[in-house]
Amino acid sequence: MSIFTRITRPALTAAVLAGLALPAAAQQIGTVASSEPTLRGTPPGAATRTLALGSGLVADETVQSSATGRGQLLFADQSTLSLAPNTTIVLDRFVFDPNQGAGEMGLQLTEGALRFIGGALSREEPATIVTPSATIGVRGSSVLVFASGGATYAVFIAGERLCLATASGGTSCTSRQGGVLGTEGYLGEVAPEFLAFLLQLIDGAPRGGSGSPLGSGVNDPNPSDRGPVSTGGEEFDFEIFDDDFDIDVIMEFFEELYNEY
């Protein structure tokens, strides 16, 4: 009997599906931790595919959420990305040596909104998020980033430091919880109501019943009353944030991209 005839039908089916899921030479750098209802991924040199729970992710893959889609991506160093609807990212690079806890991570945010929670890599070297108008460095932190129409804003939630650099050479940084950075520099602290809006945009409306909402991806899943944390375990507190950031400006920024909210 040939070795080929000894392969069972389920095993053959699984092998075919695995081959369709990722390019043969691609190295998996992370997985899909949640997808509501679906995300789409386009690995380099391969066709666009549906990303479901547990789908593998590869370097240089483009990941997109639809107008009603959102999801969370978990990487080998325990970094997480949570995507809002209408968001497109490219997973530029991810190099991680688990023995040394060293490497680098970088991605592009073409348009939309995301929450990044740094893992082992960003404790040593800042993770990089590039938008059409800025380059953001995140060191050991939890941040919210949103970009559209040539504008970029980033909100520091907790952790070590957030920096934003523009093409003109200007750079601004903050370690102030709730601090907002834009291409114009430091813009003040986020208002509690706008922070709540952003989190609902990324995580979806609070769920009723006993179901658990999306967690932070750090350690065990978070209970429903807990917010995103940094790699050091800090949590944000809505009550500490001031209202000196111009909400009207940022809400206008969202009108076209998220007018259903």
Side-chain angles (χ1 to χ4, degrees), residues 131-135 150-154 164-168 170-172 180-187:
T131 76
S133 59
T135 298
T152 298
Y153 296 95
L164 186 150
T166 64
S168 62
T171 300
S172 53
V180 181
L181 299 180
T183 52
E184 307 92 332
Y186 181 76
L187 301 173

Side-chain angles (χ1 to χ4, degrees), residues 163-254:
C163 291
L164 186 150
T166 64
S168 62
T171 300
S172 53
C173 297
T174 185
S175 297
R176 188 177 186 182
Q177 196 174 37
V180 181
L181 299 180
T183 52
E184 307 92 332
Y186 181 76
L187 301 173
E189 288 189 273
V190 69
E193 58 267 35
F194 183 66
L195 179 60
F197 163 79
L198 282 176
L199 294 176
Q200 180 171 329
L201 187 67
I202 293 172
D203 290 337
R207 306 176 188 177
S210 58
S212 297
L214 295 178
S216 68
V218 177
N219 298 322
D220 297 327
N222 290 329
S224 59
D225 61 347
R226 186 175 178 186
V229 297
S230 74
T231 54
E234 296 91 342
E235 300 178 29
F236 64 76
D237 178 357
F238 284 93
E239 295 182 357
I240 73 168
F241 297 126
D242 294 331
D243 189 5
D244 57 357
F245 179 56
D246 189 346
I247 300 176
D248 292 336
V249 171
I250 199 67
M251 292 306 292
E252 290 175 5
F253 172 85
F254 274 97

